[in-house]
Amino acid sequence: MRETPSTIELRIRRQDGPDTAPYWETFVLPHAADHNVVSVLMVLREHPLTHDGRRVDPVCWDHNCMEEVCGSCAMLINGVPRPACSALIDQLEQPIVLEPLPKFPVVRDLLVDRSAIDAGLRKVHAWIEIDGAWDTHEPPPRIAPQQWAADYLYSRCMSCGCCMAACPQFGAGADFVGPAPLAQVRLMNAHPTGRHDKTERLHAIMAEGGLSDCGNAQNCVRVCPKAIPLTTAIGELGRQTTIQALKDLFGSS
Protein backbone atom coordinates (compact mmCIF):
# COMPACT_ATOMS: atom_id res chain seq x y z
CA MET A 1 0.00 0.00 0.00
CA ARG A 2 1.30 3.45 -0.94
CA GLU A 3 2.17 5.62 2.05
CA THR A 4 0.02 8.73 2.43
CA PRO A 5 2.18 11.87 2.09
CA SER A 6 2.01 14.63 4.67
CA THR A 7 1.70 17.35 2.01
CA ILE A 8 0.10 17.89 -1.38
CA GLU A 9 2.39 19.26 -4.06
CA LEU A 10 0.80 20.91 -7.08
CA ARG A 11 2.66 21.97 -10.20
CA ILE A 12 0.31 24.21 -12.17
CA ARG A 13 0.71 25.56 -15.68
CA ARG A 14 -0.50 29.14 -15.52
CA GLN A 15 -1.31 31.76 -18.10
CA ASP A 16 -2.45 35.29 -17.34
CA GLY A 17 -4.48 35.74 -20.51
CA PRO A 18 -5.21 34.33 -23.95
CA ASP A 19 -2.28 36.14 -25.57
CA THR A 20 0.34 35.80 -22.82
CA ALA A 21 3.03 33.18 -22.43
CA PRO A 22 2.41 30.26 -20.06
CA TYR A 23 4.59 29.64 -17.00
CA TRP A 24 4.76 27.16 -14.14
CA GLU A 25 4.23 27.62 -10.41
CA THR A 26 4.53 25.07 -7.61
CA PHE A 27 2.39 25.01 -4.46
CA VAL A 28 2.64 22.82 -1.37
CA LEU A 29 -0.38 22.36 0.90
CA PRO A 30 -0.94 20.28 4.03
CA HIS A 31 -2.46 16.90 3.31
CA ALA A 32 -6.09 16.28 4.30
CA ALA A 33 -8.20 13.19 3.78
CA ASP A 34 -10.73 12.86 0.95
CA HIS A 35 -9.48 15.75 -1.14
CA ASN A 36 -10.09 15.88 -4.87
CA VAL A 37 -8.37 18.27 -7.24
CA VAL A 38 -11.19 20.82 -7.12
CA SER A 39 -11.30 20.92 -3.32
CA VAL A 40 -7.51 21.38 -3.18
CA LEU A 41 -7.77 24.27 -5.63
CA MET A 42 -10.42 25.79 -3.36
CA VAL A 43 -8.03 25.60 -0.42
CA LEU A 44 -5.27 27.11 -2.53
CA ARG A 45 -7.58 29.94 -3.56
CA GLU A 46 -7.80 31.06 0.08
CA HIS A 47 -4.02 31.20 0.53
CA PRO A 48 -2.30 31.36 -2.87
CA LEU A 49 1.30 31.04 -1.73
CA THR A 50 3.93 29.36 -3.87
CA HIS A 51 6.32 26.81 -2.38
CA ASP A 52 8.90 29.58 -1.84
CA GLY A 53 6.43 31.82 0.03
CA ARG A 54 5.43 34.25 -2.73
CA ARG A 55 1.83 35.41 -2.70
CA VAL A 56 0.34 35.23 -6.20
CA ASP A 57 -3.04 35.65 -7.82
CA PRO A 58 -5.41 32.75 -7.14
CA VAL A 59 -5.47 30.04 -9.80
CA CYS A 60 -8.39 30.37 -12.21
CA TRP A 61 -10.38 27.26 -13.13
CA ASP A 62 -13.99 26.27 -13.71
CA HIS A 63 -16.24 23.94 -11.73
CA ASN A 64 -19.89 23.51 -10.87
CA CYS A 65 -21.58 20.27 -9.88
CA MET A 66 -18.76 18.37 -8.09
CA GLU A 67 -20.53 15.15 -9.16
CA GLU A 68 -18.95 14.42 -12.56
CA VAL A 69 -22.12 15.56 -14.32
CA CYS A 70 -21.48 19.05 -15.70
CA GLY A 71 -18.01 18.47 -17.15
CA SER A 72 -16.90 22.05 -16.53
CA CYS A 73 -13.90 21.13 -14.34
CA ALA A 74 -12.14 18.99 -16.95
CA MET A 75 -8.41 19.63 -17.22
CA LEU A 76 -5.16 17.80 -17.86
CA ILE A 77 -4.18 16.00 -14.64
CA ASN A 78 -0.81 14.26 -14.69
CA GLY A 79 -1.02 14.25 -18.46
CA VAL A 80 -4.51 12.76 -18.69
CA PRO A 81 -7.66 14.74 -19.62
CA ARG A 82 -10.26 14.10 -16.93
CA PRO A 83 -12.76 15.89 -14.65
CA ALA A 84 -11.02 17.37 -11.63
CA CYS A 85 -13.92 16.67 -9.25
CA SER A 86 -13.50 12.89 -9.53
CA ALA A 87 -9.70 12.96 -9.43
CA LEU A 88 -8.93 11.95 -5.84
CA ILE A 89 -5.68 13.32 -4.49
CA ASP A 90 -4.64 10.12 -2.71
CA GLN A 91 -4.90 8.21 -5.98
CA LEU A 92 -2.60 10.58 -7.91
CA GLU A 93 1.18 10.56 -8.18
CA GLN A 94 2.88 13.63 -6.75
CA PRO A 95 3.75 16.23 -7.73
CA ILE A 96 0.28 16.57 -9.21
CA VAL A 97 0.68 18.37 -12.52
CA LEU A 98 -2.32 20.46 -13.60
CA GLU A 99 -2.61 21.94 -17.09
CA PRO A 100 -5.47 23.44 -19.09
CA LEU A 101 -7.37 21.06 -21.34
CA PRO A 102 -5.37 20.90 -24.59
CA LYS A 103 -6.78 21.69 -28.03
CA PHE A 104 -8.92 24.53 -26.64
CA PRO A 105 -7.94 28.23 -26.38
CA VAL A 106 -6.79 29.20 -22.90
CA VAL A 107 -8.76 31.98 -21.24
CA ARG A 108 -6.67 32.06 -18.10
CA ASP A 109 -4.72 29.44 -16.15
CA LEU A 110 -6.78 26.22 -16.20
CA LEU A 111 -9.86 27.83 -17.75
CA VAL A 112 -10.35 27.18 -21.47
CA ASP A 113 -12.86 28.21 -24.10
CA ARG A 114 -14.75 25.08 -25.20
CA SER A 115 -17.10 26.81 -27.62
CA ALA A 116 -15.69 24.57 -30.38
CA ILE A 117 -17.80 21.77 -28.92
CA ASP A 118 -20.94 23.89 -29.24
CA ALA A 119 -19.98 24.82 -32.80
CA GLY A 120 -19.60 21.14 -33.66
CA LEU A 121 -22.99 20.29 -32.18
CA ARG A 122 -24.60 23.08 -34.21
CA LYS A 123 -22.85 21.92 -37.38
CA VAL A 124 -24.26 18.40 -37.11
CA HIS A 125 -27.74 19.47 -35.94
CA ALA A 126 -27.35 17.54 -32.68
CA TRP A 127 -30.79 18.27 -31.28
CA ILE A 128 -34.42 17.32 -31.83
CA GLU A 129 -36.88 19.84 -33.22
CA ILE A 130 -39.72 20.32 -30.76
CA ASP A 131 -41.33 23.57 -31.99
CA GLY A 132 -44.70 22.87 -33.57
CA ALA A 133 -46.39 19.55 -34.28
CA TRP A 134 -45.54 17.06 -36.99
CA ASP A 135 -48.33 14.96 -38.45
CA THR A 136 -46.45 11.70 -38.85
CA HIS A 137 -49.60 9.54 -39.05
CA GLU A 138 -48.01 7.32 -36.45
CA PRO A 139 -49.00 6.38 -32.90
CA PRO A 140 -46.82 7.62 -30.00
CA PRO A 141 -43.34 6.11 -30.40
CA ARG A 142 -42.43 3.00 -28.47
CA ILE A 143 -38.82 2.16 -27.74
CA ALA A 144 -37.69 -1.33 -26.85
CA PRO A 145 -35.85 -1.60 -23.51
CA GLN A 146 -32.75 -2.85 -25.34
CA GLN A 147 -32.78 0.18 -27.65
CA TRP A 148 -33.37 2.54 -24.74
CA ALA A 149 -30.41 1.06 -22.86
CA ALA A 150 -28.14 1.40 -25.92
CA ASP A 151 -29.19 5.01 -26.53
CA TYR A 152 -28.84 5.97 -22.87
CA LEU A 153 -25.08 5.41 -23.03
CA TYR A 154 -24.76 8.34 -25.45
CA SER A 155 -27.13 10.60 -23.51
CA ARG A 156 -24.61 10.74 -20.65
CA CYS A 157 -22.26 13.02 -22.60
CA MET A 158 -21.56 16.14 -20.52
CA SER A 159 -19.54 18.02 -23.18
CA CYS A 160 -16.49 18.01 -20.93
CA GLY A 161 -14.14 17.94 -23.91
CA CYS A 162 -11.89 15.13 -22.67
CA CYS A 163 -12.43 13.08 -25.82
CA MET A 164 -11.70 16.11 -27.99
CA ALA A 165 -8.53 16.90 -26.06
CA ALA A 166 -7.24 13.36 -26.62
CA CYS A 167 -8.19 13.22 -30.31
CA PRO A 168 -5.17 13.71 -32.63
CA GLN A 169 -7.44 14.88 -35.47
CA PHE A 170 -9.15 17.64 -33.48
CA GLY A 171 -7.53 20.97 -32.75
CA ALA A 172 -6.40 24.31 -34.10
CA GLY A 173 -6.05 24.29 -37.86
CA ALA A 174 -8.19 21.16 -38.26
CA ASP A 175 -11.79 21.04 -39.44
CA PHE A 176 -12.75 17.79 -37.69
CA VAL A 177 -15.84 18.26 -35.50
CA GLY A 178 -14.57 15.69 -33.01
CA PRO A 179 -15.96 12.56 -31.38
CA ALA A 180 -18.47 14.22 -29.02
CA PRO A 181 -20.65 15.77 -31.78
CA LEU A 182 -20.43 12.54 -33.80
CA ALA A 183 -21.72 10.50 -30.88
CA GLN A 184 -24.66 12.88 -30.53
CA VAL A 185 -25.52 12.36 -34.20
CA ARG A 186 -25.77 8.66 -33.47
CA LEU A 187 -28.04 9.40 -30.48
CA MET A 188 -30.34 11.83 -32.30
CA ASN A 189 -30.63 9.62 -35.39
CA ALA A 190 -31.90 6.78 -33.22
CA HIS A 191 -34.59 8.89 -31.54
CA PRO A 192 -38.15 8.28 -32.87
CA THR A 193 -38.60 11.99 -33.55
CA GLY A 194 -34.97 12.85 -34.23
CA ARG A 195 -34.82 10.37 -37.11
CA HIS A 196 -36.88 12.79 -39.21
CA ASP A 197 -33.74 14.99 -39.46
CA LYS A 198 -31.42 12.03 -39.97
CA THR A 199 -30.57 12.92 -43.57
CA GLU A 200 -29.54 16.46 -42.61
CA ARG A 201 -27.24 15.17 -39.90
CA LEU A 202 -25.68 12.55 -42.13
CA HIS A 203 -25.01 15.10 -44.87
CA ALA A 204 -23.34 17.32 -42.27
CA ILE A 205 -20.92 14.59 -41.18
CA MET A 206 -20.34 13.50 -44.79
CA ALA A 207 -19.01 16.99 -45.54
CA GLU A 208 -15.52 18.34 -44.85
CA GLY A 209 -14.52 17.98 -41.22
CA GLY A 210 -16.93 15.14 -40.69
CA LEU A 211 -16.70 11.40 -40.21
CA SER A 212 -14.00 10.74 -42.82
CA ASP A 213 -11.56 12.93 -40.85
CA CYS A 214 -11.59 10.45 -37.94
CA GLY A 215 -8.25 8.62 -37.82
CA ASN A 216 -9.57 5.80 -35.59
CA ALA A 217 -6.91 6.44 -32.93
CA GLN A 218 -9.48 5.43 -30.28
CA ASN A 219 -7.97 7.83 -27.74
CA CYS A 220 -11.44 9.30 -27.24
CA VAL A 221 -13.00 6.14 -25.84
CA ARG A 222 -10.02 5.57 -23.53
CA VAL A 223 -10.37 8.90 -21.72
CA CYS A 224 -14.16 9.39 -21.71
CA PRO A 225 -15.12 9.70 -18.02
CA LYS A 226 -18.63 8.37 -18.72
CA ALA A 227 -17.43 5.32 -20.67
CA ILE A 228 -19.43 6.34 -23.73
CA PRO A 229 -18.82 3.88 -26.61
CA LEU A 230 -17.60 6.59 -28.97
CA THR A 231 -15.88 4.25 -31.42
CA THR A 232 -19.04 2.16 -31.63
CA ALA A 233 -20.97 5.31 -32.56
CA ILE A 234 -18.41 6.16 -35.24
CA GLY A 235 -18.71 2.65 -36.67
CA GLU A 236 -22.51 2.87 -36.77
CA LEU A 237 -22.33 6.26 -38.44
CA GLY A 238 -19.99 4.81 -41.06
CA ARG A 239 -22.71 2.35 -42.06
CA GLN A 240 -25.39 5.06 -42.01
CA THR A 241 -23.37 7.42 -44.21
CA THR A 242 -22.64 4.62 -46.69
CA ILE A 243 -26.36 3.91 -47.03
CA GLN A 244 -27.07 7.64 -47.32
CA ALA A 245 -24.44 8.00 -50.07
CA LEU A 246 -26.14 5.21 -52.04
CA LYS A 247 -29.52 6.87 -51.57
CA ASP A 248 -28.09 10.16 -52.81
CA LEU A 249 -26.52 8.42 -55.79
CA PHE A 250 -29.68 6.64 -56.89
CA GLY A 251 -32.09 9.37 -55.84
CA SER A 252 -34.05 7.36 -53.26
CA SER A 253 -35.44 8.91 -50.08
Side-chain angles (χ1 to χ4, degrees):
M1 182 180 296
R2 185 168 57 186
E3 183 179 352
T4 302
S6 60
T7 58
I8 300 171
E9 182 178 352
L10 302 176
R11 189 165 185 261
I12 303 178
R13 185 176 185 264
R14 306 200 60 180
Q15 189 169 333
D16 296 334
D19 301 319
T20 61
Y23 57 95
W24 291 89
E25 286 183 338
T26 301
F27 304 87
V28 178
L29 293 80
H31 180 272
D34 303 323
H35 262 312
N36 59 30
V37 169
V38 171
S39 64
V40 167
L41 288 173
M42 289 178 173
V43 173
L44 179 60
R45 181 172 58 190
E46 298 176 7
H47 303 287
L49 300 174
T50 63
H51 73 293
D52 56 0
R54 290 185 299 111
R55 187 171 186 87
V56 296
D57 290 335
V59 176
C60 180
W61 83 100
D62 196 8
H63 76 285
N64 190 16
C65 72
M66 292 289 282
E67 295 178 338
E68 202 180 71
V69 173
C70 71
S72 63
C73 66
M75 61 183 69
L76 207 63
I77 301 174
N78 286 353
V80 179
R82 59 184 299 186
C85 63
S86 57
L88 302 180
I89 293 298
D90 290 340
Q91 296 178 1
L92 298 172
E93 294 290 338
Q94 295 204 40
I96 299 170
V97 181
L98 305 181
E99 302 173 74
L101 205 63
K103 309 293 184 71
F104 298 98
V106 175
V107 177
R108 180 182 172 192
D109 293 338
L110 304 175
L111 178 65
V112 298
D113 178 2
R114 286 178 288 186
S115 59
I117 301 177
D118 298 331
L121 294 172
R122 288 193 298 269
K123 180 177 180 178
V124 302
H125 198 89
W127 64 86
I128 295 172
E129 300 288 352
I130 60 174
D131 291 338
W134 291 355
D135 186 3
T136 60
H137 303 287
E138 297 177 356
R142 297 175 63 87
I143 303 177
Q146 297 85 349
Q147 180 67 43
W148 182 92
D151 295 346
Y152 173 70
L153 298 175
Y154 300 98
S155 71
R156 297 182 299 173
C157 179
M158 52 188 179
S159 298
C160 64
C162 289
C163 64
M164 316 280 271
C167 176
Q169 274 71 47
F170 175 79
D175 295 323
F176 184 42
V177 294
L182 289 177
Q184 292 308 294
V185 171
R186 184 261 176 241
L187 174 64
M188 300 303 162
N189 282 358
H191 191 278
T193 302
R195 64 183 171 84
H196 293 290
D197 288 320
K198 181 177 180 178
T199 300
E200 179 182 349
R201 296 190 193 95
L202 292 178
H203 281 160
I205 66 173
M206 291 164 67
E208 184 176 357
L211 187 64
S212 62
D213 284 14
C214 172
N216 198 32
Q218 302 188 29
N219 291 357
C220 55
V221 74
R222 295 188 184 101
V223 302
C224 177
K226 309 306 278 187
I228 297 171
L230 297 164
T231 51
T232 300
I234 290 170
E236 291 184 22
L237 291 175
R239 292 188 289 272
Q240 291 182 24
T241 52
T242 299
I243 294 172
Q244 185 61 50
L246 292 173
K247 289 181 177 180
D248 294 344
L249 179 63
F250 294 105
S252 59
S253 57

